[in-house]
Amino acid sequence: MTDTTGLGPEDTKLITLARASRARNATAEGAAVRDETGRTYVATSVSLPSLRLTALQAAAAAAVSGEASALEAAVVVTEAKELTEDDRAVADDLKTQVVVIAAPDGVPASITRR
């Protein structure tokens, strides 16, 4: 069972969505974000010869394309223990209130509230 101590049901849902996306696409990372109006966006890492995006960058790009100006929460499911510098910058740009890094089994490795 996934231990999501300290997270509400909407944030737990983001973990589930990011895990499912990561598994479905067999990628290293999955991300899910919720914008300031409650809309949810999900993405995985993108690795093309001409384009490389982390899962968080891809999910944030989808949110911004949908007219989001801020994120209530962002979840990244990954084996990494912390966000990359670029991902931290994306979270900062969108004034992300809650950032969760979760292991592939869904257990949060870190929860940052801003």
Side-chain angles (χ1 to χ4, degrees), residues 10-67:
E10 291 300 313
D11 295 336
T12 301
K13 177 178 135 182
L14 292 179
I15 291 174
T16 301
L17 292 170
R19 286 184 70 208
S21 183
R22 178 183 181 270
R24 181 176 50 255
N25 292 340
T27 58
E29 295 180 337
V33 300
R34 186 176 60 254
D35 73 11
E36 72 277 13
T37 65
R39 291 175 296 190
T40 303
Y41 303 87
V42 180
T44 59
S45 46
V46 175
S47 183
L48 299 171
S50 62
L51 178 65
R52 292 195 180 276
L53 296 173
T54 67
L56 182 56
Q57 289 170 332
V64 170
S65 292
E67 299 184 359

